[in-house]
Each structure stands twice: as structure tokens, then as C-alpha cells.
Amino acid sequence: MAELESLGEVISTDVLIVGGGLAGLAAAITVKEESPENDVLVVEKATAGWAGKAPKGGGILAFITPEDTPEEFIRFHLRNIGCFLEDQELLSEYARTCNEVLDYLDSWGVKLAKEKNGRWKYIKLPGGELPWGLVGADLDMCQRIHRYTKKLGSRFVNKVSVVGLLKDGDQVTGAIGFNVEDGTCYIFKAKATILANGSQNYRIMPMWSPGRGDGIAAAYRAGAEMRNAEFGSFINMIHTASREVVFGAEECMYNAKGENITRKYRPLPQPDIHTDAAIAWHKEHLDGNGPIYENADENLLGRGSEILFATDLVWDRPVAIAFWLRLWEKEKPAMKDDSPRREIVPGFIGELSPVKVDHQMATTLPGLFAVGDISYNGSAWTGAVPAPPGRIRGTGLMNAVWSARRGARVAARFVRELSAEPKVDLAHAQELKEGMFQPLQRESGIAPTELVHAIQEAVAPIKYSNWRSEERMKEALGMVLDVRAKLPELKARDTHDLAACNEAKSMALCAEMFYRASLERKESRGWFVREDFPETDNVNWLKWIILKDKDGEMTLSTEDIPIERYSIKP
Ligand SMILES: Cc1cc2nc3c(=O)[nH]c(=O)nc-3n(C[C@H](O)[C@H](O)[C@H](O)COP(=O)(O)OP(=O)(O)OC[C@H]3O[C@@H](n4cnc5c(N)ncnc54)[C@H](O)[C@@H]3O)c2cc1C
């Protein structure tokens, strides 16, 4: 122990939770409910209660309304969203139990919209017959849950960025990180560790900035398996002038000749945005028909979201209304006129979320669990689609709480059944510490922003990440590997820069996972579209692609989907 203390400040706990966003808070509550005697420590890079995506989101939750049934939801999901790449058993569990999330949130003090009779006040999206509805929660939800979490006795450490996972053999026994303000090294010893630190969004779209893939990279480096990494290429259409997301623009896209290109590329009604919007945008530009515009007069979803987000006509949500009004006010100077014809471009969001977990959110390493966005695709209930939102807006918040409940219960049980105190491999911890601080010690080198921009150039262009071909993906992977080669030259000027350096390493690793897995899948399915393999191949590709580190090399394998065991077949 004394030796470990020589590395930095050592804090011991029963359950360590990395990330104080919605999933981390929900996990902390659940462990305390399950085993009040357990010490729970939440480590957050920013400030818990304010941190993460939930406070900057839409606050919309998708649930199975009294008009819908779980069976309809499952069938719709398989046919239209996940395209039979789902783990059908977990999808079925989700469909049957996700509504409990609304009750939990309500009991933790979150303000959810209700009718006078106490039922959830929901809406159904117009158009298609979608087997779910949307209910609104106010955007102070994490502050309220944070207060509840503290009341149950969880401890919090803010401003500490976790970079690596401590180990004892294969078992994960805690984590190592540093304070982003004063550079103190922290060593967290834990009987069980729950990663709740989000997906990878590559720092492109500002509102998605919490998603920097640190937890994904830490889990991968510790030896955990990854699954479904090829689906992390989510986009929203955004206004070119303001860079803000414009919901529903994909339904009313026009080229410079005035032709409606939505009808050309997206003939059938769709439940949400699809990669086909980005591909249409790209191809029209290649054909010389750009720029591409949204006709705001035809955008029903856009107008609907303005009502939902910025008025109390449907849901009384004062914090959300203030947030969205302020955001759109800031957007106004960029929109030079009131013309409904506004140029749009795909805004790359990514949402790589590949940490592989079983039905209880346990990773492939003993002692390590992963909940919320970090393992959304890795859990496989969503199938062939980037997650969140998995083409169902409102499942990000639901999955964060739903998966946290499952993972935290099993983590608490894991702690109860542990026969010995966890040990930490000191040499490994020392190695992690040296790697983490190296950019600060270097006299000169490359600024992290330079490498982050280089990674963004490899992932954001539609020709690489959404309209895929072997040749173009190899080009993009080459760009990522060039970045990887430069990572040892990263130079941090201060501790904030040090966080950016470690994030750049995580981003490069995530981009490599994305392209290696994408090159492996030789078909098109759901969100995953290849120019060179345009057909869905149910004979050879009802498989999950698994990535794993072996002595510093990224190895790939496949796992057959047990389709014979499932009741619904393609
Ligand atoms: C603009 C926007 C709108 C959205 N709207 C909706 C919506 O209406 N409905 C819906 O269902 N979903 C929505 N989502 C998605 C939803 O918010 C997320 O799916 C959900 O909040 C994820 O929660 P999480 O706790 O898993 O991850 P996050 O919210 O990303 O939390 C991860 C936390 O970990 C911390 N962290 C990261 N790295 C480290 C580290 N190395 N060390 C310590 N801490 C770390 C982060 O600071 C963050 O607080 C939206 C997202 C965005 C960005």
C-alpha cells in the first residue's frame, strides 16, 4: 500500500463509478439501494450534476405507451432499425422493462410531464405508426438526481480525469487519473468499477463534447472486448450558417436545381434520420447539384421540436425552455434572413459506443462494468445503428438509466461475493502514470489540437465514414495511423492540455476501431452502407465483429448471432 501511495493520492472504495452523468448517477443510486453498506465513489472530469449530455439535451424520453406493446416495438426495431443485428433477448428485456425508468426518475425528484390523472403526458410523432411515444423531462434532471445520490451517501470527486484501469491479473481493481486543475495524481482502489463515462463524439459538435471516448480506450487497453464499433458514424443535418442541428431537415432536402432529393433517396417514411440523408447530400455534391437546402416551411418535425423544446404548450419545462430559447437566440445572428431555404450539411457526431457487455452490463473483464452511452452499441440490443440515439430519439436517457440499474445491481453483488481485498499491480500502475503524464514532461512537441483536427478529418467526411468503400476507408485508416504514429510526440503546456492529450490518444484509438471493424463487415445493413457491398448478406454477416487488444495489436474476430435461438428471423 505504501508503495502505491508513492504514486499519488490513494482513495479506496467498494464501488468506483467513472463519470457523473445520468448513467453514473443512476448507478450510484442503485448500488446504495442494493447494498447501503457499500461505499460508492463517483469520479467526474467536470462537475457532477452539471456534467454530461443530459443537461444539454432535448430531455425527451421514448417509452412504450399504453397504445403500444413491447411485441410491436421489438418487431419494428428488428425490421426497421437494428436490422436483425440485435441481441434479441436483451432487446426484449429492454422493451418489457424500459418503462420502469420513468418511475425511477420520478422517484428521484426529476420533473416529468404528467397528465392531471397522474399518467405520463406523451406525444406520438406524426406520420409513421411508430410503436413508442415521447415524454418530456426538465433539463435540471441531473442536478436533482445528484442531490438524491448525495442524500443516499455516495461520495464525489470532481475535476479528475480517469485515464487508465488498475488491475490484478485479469481483474480490474480500480482506476488512475489526475486532477485537471492542479495535476494531482489519483489512484482509486475498488472492488468493482463501473464505467459510465460516455461515447466517442470526436469533439466536432459542441453539444456532444462530453463524449471523448476515455472510458472506451481505458477498457480496451485493459484488455476488454469491443463490439459493433463499425456503427459509430451518427450524423445530424445542421445549418451551415449557425452549425446548429436542424431536426427533420432530412425530410425536406432540396438541391441547388430545386429538386426534392428526399423523395429520390428516402422514398419510404422513416422513423428518424438515417445515413441515407448524408449519402444523398454527398452524392448530389459529387454530381454538381450542391449546395443542399432544407425547406423549413415543409419541416414538420423542425416546427414540432420548436414547440416541444421552447414552449410550454405541451410540456411545462422551465429549464429546458430557457436553455433552448437562449441557444436559438445565439444562433440568430448567423441566419442572415428569414428565408425558409437554408443550406444544410451533415454534422458528424459519431457516437461510437462499443464496450462489449453481457445482459447484466458486465464487460469481458472481471470487476469491470459499463453502463450508459459507453456500452450502448457494445450491449448489442440496438443492432446495426449508431447508439444513441439508435434512430429513436429519447432512448439515450432511457438506456442510461436502464443499463445503469442492471449493471449496478450486479456490481453490488460482485462486491458482496468477493472473497479477498483487491490488489493492484504496482508496476502496471506505475506504467499508466508515466504514460498519462508524459506529454507534460516533454520539452517540445505536437499540440493536442493538431492531432484532434487530423482525426476529425479522417472521420467527419461522409465519403469515409458513411458512404463507405474499401479504398476510401483504407485511406481514412491510413490518416488515423499517421496520427497514431505522432501520439508519442504530444506536448501539454498545462494540466488542461494534458487532458486534451490523453483524449487525443483515446480518439485515435476509437477512430482506428471504427475503420478496422468497418473494413471487416463486407455487406450493407441498417445504418452501415458500403458502396462496394450494397446488399445485406444474411448468410455470411449475421455476426458481431469483436475487437480486442493483443500485445498492442488490434485483433478482430466475429461472433455468430444465435439467430436459431431467436423467435423472429430475417
Ligand atoms: C444535444 C443533445 C441532445 C440530446 N437529447 C436527448 C433526448 O432528448 N433524449 C434522449 O434520450 N437522449 C438525448 N441525448 C443523449 C443523452 O443525453 C445521452 O444518451 C445520455 O445522457 C448519456 O448519459 P451517460 O451518463 O451515459 O453519458 P454522458 O452524459 O456523456 O456522461 C459521461 C460523463 O463522464 C464524464 N467523463 C468523461 N470522461 C471522463 C473521464 N476520463 N474521467 C471522469 N469523468 C469522465 C463526462 O464529463 C460526463 O459527465 C442528447 C444528447 C445531446 C448531446
Side-chain angles (χ1 to χ4, degrees):
M1 187 68 182
E3 284 182 289
L4 198 57
E5 275 163 351
S6 70
L7 298 183
E9 190 161 327
V10 180
I11 303 180
S12 295
T13 185
D14 293 320
V15 181
L16 172 70
I17 298 174
V18 182
L22 181 59
L25 295 172
I29 292 172
T30 309
V31 174
K32 276 292 185 189
E33 284 176 357
E34 195 74 14
S35 307
E37 72 285 2
N38 274 348
D39 183 62
V40 176
L41 180 72
V42 182
V43 180
E44 165 56 50
K45 178 159 37 178
T47 304
W50 301 91
K53 291 177 181 164
K56 7 186 136 42
I60 287 172
L61 298 114
F63 77 117
I64 314 288
T65 77
E67 301 167 61
D68 312 306
T69 64
E71 291 71 28
E72 282 172 318
F73 180 85
I74 295 165
R75 272 195 302 276
F76 186 94
H77 204 283
L78 287 165
R79 302 225 160 92
N80 303 288
I81 296 179
C83 302
F84 290 93
L85 218 64
E86 293 97 333
D87 176 326
Q88 283 192 37
E89 287 152 356
L90 198 58
L91 168 66
S92 169
E93 287 268 323
Y94 180 84
R96 289 173 218 287
T97 57
C98 69
N99 283 9
E100 292 168 9
V101 168
L102 302 181
D103 298 319
Y104 297 134
L105 291 173
D106 193 38
S107 69
W108 301 340
V110 172
K111 196 163 175 257
L112 282 152
K114 282 186 191 167
E115 302 281 4
K116 284 203 181 76
N117 61 11
R119 295 219 173 128
W120 307 120
K121 189 170 184 188
Y122 66 87
I123 57 146
K124 287 243 171 200
L125 288 178
E129 298 289 308
L130 303 180
W132 64 85
L134 305 174
V135 66
D138 210 351
L139 289 189
D140 56 356
M141 71 179 97
C142 284
Q143 288 172 59
R144 288 166 179 263
I145 302 173
H146 179 233
R147 281 199 287 275
Y148 186 77
T149 315
K150 287 190 92 166
K151 212 163 89 184
L152 294 188
S154 291
R155 291 189 290 152
F156 284 82
V157 174
N158 286 318
K159 309 288 183 204
V160 169
S161 176
V162 164
V163 175
L165 294 172
L166 304 174
K167 291 184 78 179
D168 176 22
D170 261 356
Q171 187 175 335
V172 171
T173 51
I176 185 167
F178 65 95
N179 183 298
V180 294
E181 290 181 330
D182 64 17
T184 306
C185 179
Y186 279 89
I187 292 114
F188 303 104
K189 272 185 77 185
K191 294 176 184 164
T193 302
I194 302 178
L195 290 174
N197 51 338
S199 56
Q200 176 59 270
N201 300 110
Y202 301 101
R203 286 184 71 174
I204 294 172
M205 300 281 285
M207 298 237 281
W208 277 262
S209 69
R212 300 186 183 188
D214 293 345
I216 299 169
Y220 172 84
R221 289 191 201 110
E225 290 182 6
M226 305 286 134
R227 169 162 64 173
N228 287 333
E230 66 272 33
F231 298 105
S233 63
F234 187 65
I235 59 111
N236 267 325
M237 297 311 287
I238 61 173
H239 283 146
T240 319
S242 68
R243 303 276 190 248
E244 291 300 342
V245 171
V246 38
F247 297 108
E250 61 279 3
E251 293 294 355
C252 45
M253 284 171 42
Y254 286 80
N255 65 18
K257 293 178 179 163
E259 293 163 341
N260 181 320
I261 62 164
T262 296
R263 275 192 223 122
K264 188 163 150 195
Y265 292 94
R266 193 177 153 97
L268 300 171
Q270 297 269 359
D272 203 333
I273 192 160
H274 192 289
T275 187
D276 58 15
I279 294 172
W281 178 92
H282 175 71
K283 284 185 176 173
E284 289 292 312
H285 275 86
L286 285 185
D287 291 345
N289 296 334
I292 304 301
Y293 299 92
E294 163 220 25
N295 182 351
D297 284 344
E298 290 175 19
N299 188 350
L300 292 180
L301 196 62
R303 265 181 281 156
S305 359
E306 280 169 30
I307 293 170
L308 284 183
F309 289 1
T311 75
D312 58 4
L313 290 174
V314 183
W315 298 318
D316 175 26
R317 304 188 305 161
V319 182
I321 293 170
F323 175 88
W324 285 95
L325 284 176
R326 202 163 53 242
L327 191 83
W328 285 331
E329 198 56 40
K330 285 206 291 203
E331 177 190 29
K332 265 191 194 149
M335 314 295 264
K336 290 192 186 67
D337 55 49
D338 286 339
S339 163
R341 212 174 92 112
R342 295 168 183 168
E343 191 187 339
I344 49 173
V345 292
F348 188 78
I349 291 174
E351 297 288 24
L352 186 93
S353 55
V355 177
K356 186 183 170 198
V357 286
D358 65 12
H359 290 185
Q360 308 306 327
M361 307 298 140
T363 72
T364 52
L365 297 177
L368 185 67
F369 303 82
V371 301
D373 278 8
I374 188 171
S375 60
Y376 206 160
N377 260 145
S379 72
W381 79 255
T382 51
V385 66
R391 299 190 68 216
I392 309 180
R393 309 274 166 162
T395 52
L397 300 171
M398 293 291 276
N399 177 71
V401 177
W402 180 81
S403 61
R405 298 291 294 175
R406 296 177 86 83
R409 279 192 196 117
V410 179
R413 198 179 316 144
F414 181 86
V415 169
R416 272 201 301 275
E417 289 168 4
L418 213 56
S419 52
E421 279 291 307
K423 293 200 202 80
V424 173
D425 177 339
L426 184 65
H428 178 239
Q430 175 83 43
E431 207 179 299
L432 288 173
K433 182 182 174 185
E434 279 166 17
M436 176 169 87
F437 282 113
Q438 228 165 39
L440 209 50
Q441 271 120 32
R442 206 162 278 125
E443 286 287 305
S444 62
I446 304 175
T449 41
E450 187 180 326
L451 296 192
V452 169
H453 287 156
I455 297 163
Q456 291 168 342
E457 278 174 20
V459 293
I462 299 306
K463 65 175 180 175
Y464 294 142
S465 55
N466 276 272
W467 180 230
R468 310 179 214 208
S469 75
E470 177 157 337
E471 192 190 346
R472 292 192 294 272
M473 286 194 287
K474 281 188 170 162
E475 189 182 320
L477 178 61
M479 292 158 77
V480 174
L481 296 182
D482 285 347
V483 171
R484 192 179 78 176
K486 290 181 186 157
L487 291 173
E489 295 170 55
L490 275 168
K491 158 78 189 149
R493 288 163 306 170
D494 54 33
T495 50
H496 285 280
D497 231 21
L498 184 63
C501 288
N502 281 292
E503 287 163 8
K505 291 182 193 171
S506 306
M507 276 182 211
L509 187 55
C510 286
E512 184 179 344
M513 286 180 199
F514 172 72
Y515 281 119
R516 290 209 189 275
S518 299
L519 279 160
E520 188 75 357
R521 183 169 291 285
K522 294 181 177 59
E523 63 158 355
S524 292
R525 184 184 297 270
W527 188 280
F528 186 92
V529 177
R530 283 190 64 155
E531 184 180 11
D532 44 359
F533 294 97
E535 303 300 328
T536 298
D537 179 354
N538 285 329
V539 176
N540 298 302
W541 278 106
L542 279 175
K543 288 184 167 107
W544 293 306
I545 294 169
I546 310 293
L547 299 169
K548 187 171 166 28
D549 176 73
K550 281 217 180 95
D551 305 321
E553 284 303 309
M554 196 176 282
T555 63
L556 288 100
S557 59
T558 58
E559 186 181 331
D560 287 339
I561 293 174
I563 201 80
E564 66 292 339
R565 216 165 68 203
Y566 298 159
S567 55
I568 308 179
K569 301 188 175 29

